[in-house]
Amino acid sequence: NPVNGYIYVATSWRGDVENNNGVTVLDGTRVVSHLPTGNTPHYPEAIAINPVTGRVYIANSGSNLVTVISHTTILNQIPVDDTPVALAVDPIHGLIYVANRTSHTVSILDEESGSVLRSIPVGDTPVAVYADALAGWAYVVNRVGDSISVVDGLALTLTQTIPVGQNPLAIAGDPSSGLVYVVNQVGN
């Protein structure tokens, strides 16, 4: 985290759920805190950090919640659609994008209010998301749909779906050029 220097690690151990499911906070090599994300199997799968506010967001796929952390304190748990597995932060507009794998949606959260602005249907099995903060858009990777859904976060709408290679898994972007890169599991 560029604001406080902490390292946040999702700990999703299926053995001792009560004591291990959550986020471990490190200061270099020292454990500062362990924050449980709940008493049921929450399975934290992804972490995103707002580099401006320092808030940390955790996608908990087992509970359909996004946990919000500031430093070592849980601020909120926001209900989203089924199986959140990926997050992206738009620090300019204060938006958090959540890819919900089994509901085939992306939830757009408002950082200030801690609420869901809208959940938008996207392609089949969204597994990754990239936020282009300069444009106010998000690009959602649809693994089974072999596509990218382009979402206008400011208008809260799906603008287009772009076909890509087989089984896309990951996405990254270059904010200076506006280019987006997708990694496909199968093909070229």
Side-chain angles (χ1 to χ4, degrees):
N1 186 329
V3 174
N4 61 27
Y6 287 160
I7 300 165
Y8 296 84
V9 180
T11 51
S12 181
W13 301 342
R14 309 223 194 251
D16 185 359
V17 174
E18 287 286 325
N19 297 314
N20 295 317
N21 257 355
V23 176
T24 301
V25 183
L26 304 167
D27 183 5
T29 59
R30 184 178 63 89
V31 174
V32 175
S33 181
H34 178 76
L35 305 172
T37 56
N39 293 329
T40 59
H42 283 226
Y43 305 130
E45 288 205 25
I47 295 178
I49 298 172
N50 184 324
V52 175
T53 66
R55 284 193 179 160
V56 180
Y57 297 88
I58 295 91
N60 299 292
S61 66
S63 63
N64 304 327
L65 294 171
V66 172
T67 302
V68 183
I69 296 173
S70 177
H71 298 279
T72 60
T73 302
I74 294 177
L75 300 178
N76 197 2
Q77 298 230 0
I78 305 167
V80 294
D81 291 346
D82 295 340
T83 322
V85 296
L87 302 154
V89 175
D90 173 345
I92 294 174
H93 301 100
L95 300 175
I96 315 307
Y97 298 93
V98 184
N100 304 299
R101 185 176 61 220
T102 56
S103 63
H104 312 295
T105 61
V106 62
S107 296
I108 303 174
L109 312 182
D110 177 59
E111 184 171 35
E112 187 174 326
S113 69
S115 63
V116 177
L117 296 173
R118 181 170 291 164
S119 286
I120 298 172
V122 292
D124 195 355
T125 315
V127 295
V129 61
Y130 165 72
D132 181 342
L134 294 177
W137 290 15
Y139 297 86
V140 183
V141 173
N142 305 305
R143 182 170 183 186
V144 175
D146 298 335
S147 65
I148 303 283
S149 296
V150 182
V151 174
D152 182 335
L154 305 179
L156 303 175
T157 58
L158 175 68
T159 61
Q160 66 178 320
T161 300
I162 303 167
V164 295
Q166 279 186 286
N167 293 333
L169 292 175
I171 189 165
D174 178 356
S176 64
S177 69
L179 294 175
V180 177
Y181 304 92
V182 179
V183 176
N184 302 307
Q185 184 179 25
V186 178
N188 296 323

